[in-house]
Amino acid sequence: MPFIAYGEAPDFEPKAFCCLMLNGKWKLHHFYNGKWERVNTGLPDDATECSPTAEWRGDKWRLSFIAGGFGDDRRYYLYRIDDLDNPIAEKVCLADVGFIWKNQIVYATRGGELSISGIQGTKNFHFNDVEWLYRVSYNPDNPHELLISGQKKGGYIFSWIFNPSKKYLYDLSDNGDVAYKAALFNGKCYYAKRGNGGFEDRHIVMAQNLRISELSYDDIVGNSQEANSPSILKMLQNFTNATFRWASAGFKIADDETLAKRQAICDTCQYWKASARLGMGKCLKCGCTSLKLKFDTEKCPVGKW
Ligand code: SF4
């Protein structure tokens, strides 16, 4: 599904991004000099790349996208590229849908809650009756609006505009068709219209008769705030700092005995949340996962090891 964002002032020249099939895999592309060019993400050839979003930030295009399904780890992750002219893809978190906009990270696994993480912390949203989320992006005409497509229990496909701060939810359809995986730009709506074949037989169209219908926010949306937990932005920063210290010390790994001692201490610590981050565990003090325990250079933030 294409994503179009406004570019640099004063003319705000828009730029489009999409995924195109190359050798049987979806790959990230951007529209440049009148044609689609592949974004060289540096991920392996057998990686699937999809769901691009982008923003112009100061002097460069920044992208985020979902990729995975390669190597030994078949899961999908949210990635970011901070400079399209020098595209280095960095893994952000486990996610089947999501994007980054300014200092906000929005992400969810396919059947999980939607998390919005920013400077203030993380809010989690669940949507009653929703089974799967297929695409989450933002509306460049109003970046506080999220565009969410998914499937309800029972198979009904939906496409919504969701504004978590103003608490409204709208359904998007075009002449009775669900505006699936909608992208909004400059007052227009593009979506993946189903053809005569199977569910995946879709082509991009511009909505001719877009209908935006209000839904009952309170009946559909529930949310919770993660207390006492660093936001994912802080976690990213902590983890990057830990990685830097580790790299500076020559990538030294803690020996098995040290690792076992550290893990045993964390296991009985009030700040350790074993179920977090899909079973990797997380320290609620520093936000790091059990991976940090392996870095020889690291220390417990409260001095327990
Ligand atoms: S790193 Fe320290 S504070 Fe964090 S869970 Fe382990 S022992 Fe507790």
Side-chain angles (χ1 to χ4, degrees), residues 48-215:
T48 297
E49 303 166 1
C50 56
S51 302
T53 61
E55 61 172 323
W56 177 260
R57 286 200 73 178
D59 56 354
K60 54 186 83 158
W61 281 104
R62 296 187 173 175
L63 317 184
S64 50
F65 61 102
I66 300 293
F70 61 90
D72 293 338
D73 185 357
R74 312 303 294 175
R75 295 177 297 181
Y76 282 76
Y77 294 84
L78 176 64
Y79 282 81
R80 70 177 184 193
I81 288 176
D82 282 343
D83 181 0
L84 180 62
D85 293 331
N86 181 25
I88 298 170
E90 276 184 75
K91 193 186 276 184
V92 175
C93 61
L94 194 65
D96 292 302
V97 295
F99 68 90
I100 299 172
W101 180 74
K102 297 201 184 299
N103 291 324
Q104 182 170 280
I105 304 173
V106 179
Y107 59 102
T109 51
R110 181 105 36 229
E113 292 189 325
L114 184 73
S115 297
I116 302 179
S117 190
I119 308 264
Q120 306 297 328
T122 300
K123 272 190 176 178
N124 299 317
F125 294 86
H126 67 266
F127 305 101
N128 290 334
D129 215 27
V130 166
E131 190 162 26
W132 308 116
L133 296 177
Y134 291 142
R135 166 82 163 139
V136 178
S137 62
Y138 73 91
N139 176 6
D141 293 335
N142 178 357
H144 298 291
E145 290 182 341
L146 273 56
L147 305 173
I148 303 179
S149 286
Q151 180 176 319
K152 292 189 174 179
K153 291 170 188 158
Y156 176 77
I157 299 299
F158 64 85
S159 178
W160 290 338
I161 294 175
F162 168 54
N163 189 322
S165 49
K166 297 208 166 157
K167 295 196 172 182
Y168 60 73
L169 188 68
Y170 294 111
D171 188 70
L172 290 173
S173 64
D174 178 40
N175 283 330
D177 287 333
V178 174
Y180 181 63
K181 294 191 174 179
L184 302 183
F185 183 76
N186 202 16
K188 297 189 171 60
C189 171
Y190 305 86
Y191 69 98
K193 185 178 171 71
R194 189 166 175 178
N196 295 324
F199 181 74
E200 296 294 339
D201 173 25
R202 292 181 181 271
H203 53 282
I204 307 303
V205 297
M206 188 174 81
Q208 300 300 314
N209 191 15
L210 184 68
R211 187 183 159 104
I212 302 176
S213 329
E214 187 164 11
L215 299 169

Side-chain angles (χ1 to χ4, degrees), residues 262-263 265-273 282-288 292-293 299-305:
R262 288 177 174 181
Q263 189 65 70
I265 295 169
C266 288
D267 282 346
T268 56
C269 175
Q270 72 271 35
Y271 297 118
W272 188 249
K273 191 174 177 195
K282 181 173 87 173
C283 170
L284 297 177
K285 261 293 175 200
C286 63
C288 290
K292 168 181 160 171
L293 275 59
K299 290 186 170 56
C300 163
V302 297
K304 292 191 179 186
W305 49 264

